[in-house]
Amino acid sequence: MPMSPDLATPIDGASVASASYRLSSAGFLPRARDWQVQLYERLSQQESDAGYLLLAPCGAGKTESVVIPALGLRRGGAPRRLFLIAQDGSPLDDYLYRMGPYLKSWASSDEVPRTLIVVPDGPGEEVFGIRYCADGTEEPTEEMNPLEADVDLVVTTFHRFLDLFFGGGGVHGLASSFAPTEGGLRRDLFFFDEAHGYSVDAFSRFHRLVEFLFAQDTDVIISSSTMPPPFQEELSFLEPIDAPGIANAAAPTIQFIATDDALEEIEQQIRRSYYINSRVFGVCETPVDADTLRSRLVGSYPHSVFLYHQGQPASERRRIYAQLRELEKEGEGYLLLTTGDAVENSDLDATVLISTVCPPENLIRRAGRCNRRGDLPDAKIVIVGARIEHASRTLNPTQESAYLAYLITAQDIVFLPEEWRRFI
């Protein structure tokens, strides 16, 4: 295959990284930013060790900044095998939607097949794998062991990773710990994408695991849009990389509405906010509440209301997610009723996001799905309720009191993540 003109002659690192971003994404990502160039130059070299704490706002391009250099265009295959580890409760649909086209493109360009294995944690969901072939086709993979050497990308959640990793023998169960074969073995890269929790026990477990992996000379990257300085200090053995947000992007505003009937208020806010070519998200804490909202609204918006949460069958959920992403690409509007876990782990982009009260880290992640692309001038976040319910962690009384008091003052003010990070 002839070499791309972008890569045919020696050029600077920024041009090489940008060419890889452009070719990998079929032009959707035209160039790499400075901090992405920095990661690209380090991760694209097999002999390079990786130990980074990537601090970047939602929508900055954290996932691509790791995936493209670790697995991207390279004759003879990628220098690393990547474990992409998401937070517990993630449906993983966005990773499958986004990573599939990359792997397919790289397999065709490099003439080297790429294999993806997804290890979900949803009830009744099974491990499945896809092999992307050099001729552009794809097929189910017969290899279902995520620790096998010929797997390129493993996508899973934090607790499922713990089961896989320690159930398979820890670092000694990794293919990269075996005696090298004639062709050599790739280094394993563990990429924790917002996989950490902030309760004392959850972060302590996360910290111990990362510290253990780093001490075992494996490559580790943690990305976060929410981590405050005290937690960053706990991970000081990792090199920090600070990534700026989207330049000149209009930040959404946030408004709080106190109510004892959050579902009723979400319904009324949707009826006031939804109009053609607008994307309005109603975000609840449980699938049951999302189902209830749909039953109330589907009669009014029969052709544009979508339900998306972990309680749906996996195949239906993935189909709906792909449909939503395609609607966004076409500039179409829709009404989405979903849960916090589902929307926080998506790449969806709302004009108006209406949510029940949630902990500050969840608020930051949900806000990151409102004007995510930075091109919606009138984007708005509306938080409704009276207290935090069904949360993944409990704030201590002092934290919760200060957070709710500040939330009450939020009346059409600009949402700045750093203002809310101090309550974590």
Side-chain angles (χ1 to χ4, degrees), residues 64 68 100 116 143 158 173 187 223 248 294 311 354 378 392 402:
E64 277 75 9
I68 289 177
L116 161 71
E143 180 50 67
F158 182 70
R187 289 181 66 88
S223 76
N248 302 319
R294 182 184 183 280
I354 308 159
D378 299 315
S392 57

Side-chain angles (χ1 to χ4, degrees), residues 152-193:
D152 295 278
L153 174 61
V154 180
V155 178
T156 188
T157 60
F158 182 70
H159 275 89
R160 290 293 280 135
F161 171 73
L162 293 179
D163 294 341
L164 288 169
F165 184 70
F166 291 106
V171 291
H172 304 293
L174 297 172
S176 55
S177 70
F178 302 158
T181 61
E182 183 177 344
L185 285 168
R186 296 171 291 167
R187 289 181 66 88
D188 289 300
L189 172 58
F190 300 98
F191 174 35
F192 295 90
D193 189 10

Side-chain angles (χ1 to χ4, degrees), residues 96-115:
L96 181 61
Y97 178 87
R98 290 161 67 188
M99 297 302 109
Y102 289 150
L103 294 170
K104 188 174 183 177
S105 171
W106 295 330
S108 178
S109 298
D110 289 342
E111 299 180 352
V112 176
R114 303 296 176 92
T115 301

Side-chain angles (χ1 to χ4, degrees), residues 46-202:
Q46 184 173 15
E47 65 275 9
S48 173
D49 292 336
Y52 305 114
L53 173 59
L54 176 56
L55 303 168
C58 295
K62 298 186 293 293
T63 303
E64 277 75 9
S65 74
V66 175
V67 171
I68 289 177
L71 299 178
L73 293 160
R74 196 167 291 105
R75 182 72 70 175
R80 285 182 168 81
R81 179 179 57 169
L82 179 62
F83 289 80
L84 201 166
I85 304 153
Q87 68 186 82
D88 290 327
S90 170
L92 305 177
D93 302 325
D94 177 61
Y95 296 113
L96 181 61
Y97 178 87
R98 290 161 67 188
M99 297 302 109
Y102 289 150
L103 294 170
K104 188 174 183 177
S105 171
W106 295 330
S108 178
S109 298
D110 289 342
E111 299 180 352
V112 176
R114 303 296 176 92
T115 301
L116 161 71
I117 287 185
V118 178
V119 186
D121 67 359
E125 293 191 55
E126 298 181 352
V127 177
F128 68 94
I130 303 172
R131 186 172 178 84
Y132 299 90
C133 303
D135 61 2
T137 61
E138 55 188 77
E139 59 190 21
T141 178
E142 295 181 1
E143 180 50 67
M144 298 304 288
N145 182 355
L147 301 184
E148 286 296 319
D150 63 348
V151 174
D152 295 278
L153 174 61
V154 180
V155 178
T156 188
T157 60
F158 182 70
H159 275 89
R160 290 293 280 135
F161 171 73
L162 293 179
D163 294 341
L164 288 169
F165 184 70
F166 291 106
V171 291
H172 304 293
L174 297 172
S176 55
S177 70
F178 302 158
T181 61
E182 183 177 344
L185 285 168
R186 296 171 291 167
R187 289 181 66 88
D188 289 300
L189 172 58
F190 300 98
F191 174 35
F192 295 90
D193 189 10
E194 295 281 4
H196 46 280
Y198 287 114
S199 69
V200 174
D201 289 343

Side-chain angles (χ1 to χ4, degrees), residues 292-314:
T292 299
L293 272 178
R294 182 184 183 280
S295 67
R296 295 180 184 180
L297 291 163
V298 68
S300 301
Y301 312 101
H303 303 297
S304 57
V305 61
F306 291 88
L307 186 67
Y308 175 68
H309 60 63
Q310 305 90 310
Q312 297 169 298

Side-chain angles (χ1 to χ4, degrees), residues 91-358:
L92 305 177
D93 302 325
D94 177 61
Y95 296 113
L96 181 61
Y97 178 87
R98 290 161 67 188
M99 297 302 109
Y102 289 150
L103 294 170
K104 188 174 183 177
S105 171
W106 295 330
S108 178
S109 298
D110 289 342
E111 299 180 352
V112 176
R114 303 296 176 92
T115 301
L116 161 71
I117 287 185
V118 178
V119 186
D121 67 359
E125 293 191 55
E126 298 181 352
V127 177
F128 68 94
I130 303 172
R131 186 172 178 84
Y132 299 90
C133 303
D135 61 2
T137 61
E138 55 188 77
E139 59 190 21
T141 178
E142 295 181 1
E143 180 50 67
M144 298 304 288
N145 182 355
L147 301 184
E148 286 296 319
D150 63 348
V151 174
D152 295 278
L153 174 61
V154 180
V155 178
T156 188
T157 60
F158 182 70
H159 275 89
R160 290 293 280 135
F161 171 73
L162 293 179
D163 294 341
L164 288 169
F165 184 70
F166 291 106
V171 291
H172 304 293
L174 297 172
S176 55
S177 70
F178 302 158
T181 61
E182 183 177 344
L185 285 168
R186 296 171 291 167
R187 289 181 66 88
D188 289 300
L189 172 58
F190 300 98
F191 174 35
F192 295 90
D193 189 10
E194 295 281 4
H196 46 280
Y198 287 114
S199 69
V200 174
D201 289 343
F203 195 83
S204 178
R205 287 193 299 270
F206 178 76
H207 174 269
R208 289 198 301 270
L209 173 65
V210 172
E211 194 171 42
F212 168 77
L213 291 171
F214 188 75
Q216 296 297 316
D217 194 34
T218 60
D219 295 339
V220 179
I221 297 179
I222 298 171
S223 76
S224 178
S225 61
T226 60
M227 191 177 293
F231 290 90
Q232 296 175 30
E233 292 172 7
E234 294 290 317
L235 300 167
S236 59
F237 53 89
L238 301 176
E239 179 182 345
I241 297 177
D242 288 301
I246 302 172
N248 302 319
T253 60
I254 180 170
Q255 176 188 8
F256 174 71
I257 299 174
T259 177
D260 289 325
D261 192 340
L263 286 190
E264 172 65 23
E265 186 60 39
I266 290 177
E267 178 187 352
Q268 295 308 314
Q269 288 292 322
I270 287 172
R271 294 187 184 278
R272 295 188 192 105
S273 302
Y274 184 66
Y275 50 89
I276 191 167
N277 290 328
S278 175
R279 293 189 294 272
V280 177
F281 296 1
V283 185
C284 309
E285 303 308 317
T286 68
V288 171
D289 284 347
D291 291 341
T292 299
L293 272 178
R294 182 184 183 280
S295 67
R296 295 180 184 180
L297 291 163
V298 68
S300 301
Y301 312 101
H303 303 297
S304 57
V305 61
F306 291 88
L307 186 67
Y308 175 68
H309 60 63
Q310 305 90 310
Q312 297 169 298
S315 58
E316 177 186 356
R317 196 186 62 229
R318 294 181 191 123
R319 176 186 59 78
I320 291 171
Y321 186 81
Q323 187 176 357
L324 297 176
R325 287 301 312 275
E326 293 305 312
L327 285 172
E328 290 192 6
K329 290 178 181 179
E330 295 167 4
E332 297 293 330
Y334 60 81
L335 170 58
L336 176 64
L337 306 173
T338 184
T339 59
D341 282 343
V343 77
E344 290 172 32
N345 290 279
S346 76
D347 196 32
L348 301 174
D349 192 5
T351 307
V352 178
L353 187 145
I354 308 159
S355 171
T356 47
V357 178
C358 58

